[in-house]
Amino acid sequence: MSYELGEGRLVPSIAALIALASVVVGGWALARARRAGDERAAAGAVVAGLVSAVVGGLHAANAAGGLGTGNGLAGAVVALVLGVIGTVVGALALTRIRTRVRQG
């Protein structure tokens, strides 16, 4: 029995990696939210989180089978959860950056 990484597992796995990157970048932007130039990282975290959450949600909704069937449902759920977390962390960083820029 050989292991193949088919489309059913590949798409949610990539979405989960993008979601993980959005959490890391969002956390980095939140920790270093000091100036207006840091907005790009926070905005990137928000966009990457949203994209991975949507892809994970769509894949989870269309997965034919439960966990352990090889359809990528676990990866889709991980992508969905991490995508939402990355979006929230990125949005917090954006809010903090914009607040600090307005304060001077």
Side-chain angles (χ1 to χ4, degrees):
M1 187 167 156
S2 65
Y3 177 78
E4 283 187 33
L5 187 62
E7 185 178 332
R9 290 182 182 165
L10 184 64
V11 172
S13 297
I14 291 173
L17 287 174
I18 292 171
L20 180 61
S22 76
V23 171
V24 170
V25 170
W28 177 82
L30 185 61
R32 290 166 178 78
R34 294 187 183 134
R35 50 194 155 100
D38 295 334
E39 278 188 42
R40 286 185 184 173
V46 170
V47 170
L50 283 174
V51 168
S52 60
V54 167
V55 169
L58 287 174
H59 194 84
N62 293 321
L67 292 171
T69 59
N71 292 321
L73 182 59
V77 170
V78 169
L80 179 63
V81 171
L82 286 177
V84 170
I85 292 170
T87 301
V88 169
V89 172
L92 286 172
L94 270 177
T95 304
R96 185 177 290 177
I97 291 168
R98 291 179 180 165
T99 303
R100 289 189 179 179
V101 168
R102 285 185 196 152
Q103 290 175 352

